[in-house]
Amino acid sequence: MYKLSTGPVAYNPAVETLLRATHLPTDDLQDSDYQQGIQLFTLEQDEQTIGVVGLELHGDSALVRSLAVSESERGQGLGVLLLKHAEEAAQIMGVKELYLLTTTA
């Protein structure tokens, strides 16, 4: 059974491992000053982090970032589930515009 985090989670080794495995940047996520504007949400299965998505907040706008799903779990719509979760969280936080920057899709 899948479990989405109900609120933002702290940057942690499981998130870092997943992001590195999918070749997404992690250096800025380790900067405590920079982290304050980033909200990360995770997807777990059997207490293992199998997905992550982040919102980088800039006033009433946000950048969707760090969207990753474990390779073994891909093709099941989990990326869409994470994106919808981020969109709902952004709406609750008062975000009016979401942006996505990608080099692979």
Side-chain angles (χ1 to χ4, degrees):
M1 174 154 222
Y2 298 115
K3 178 183 172 190
L4 281 162
S5 58
T6 55
V9 299
Y11 182 72
N12 61 64
V15 168
E16 181 174 355
T17 299
L18 181 57
L19 292 176
R20 286 188 187 277
T22 53
H23 308 288
L24 291 173
T26 61
D27 292 343
D28 58 344
L29 293 172
Q30 298 173 47
D31 180 339
S32 60
D33 291 332
Y34 192 76
Q35 281 180 346
Q36 293 178 5
I38 298 175
Q39 307 286 310
L40 295 173
F41 302 91
T42 56
L43 178 65
E44 295 184 353
Q45 182 179 40
D46 300 325
E47 298 185 27
Q48 297 290 320
T49 300
I50 62 166
V52 64
V53 65
L55 292 172
E56 184 175 321
L57 304 172
H58 298 276
D60 63 357
S61 299
L63 174 68
V64 177
R65 60 165 295 160
S66 305
L67 176 57
V69 175
S70 296
E71 188 172 352
S72 63
E73 303 298 325
R74 292 183 190 158
Q76 302 178 59
L78 300 178
V80 172
L81 179 69
L82 282 161
L83 181 58
K84 286 183 180 182
H85 188 65
E87 289 171 340
E88 290 170 4
Q91 187 175 22
I92 290 168
M93 289 184 253
V95 171
K96 295 186 181 358
E97 295 179 302
L98 282 176
Y99 295 91
L100 174 66
L101 173 65
T102 181
T103 60
T104 61

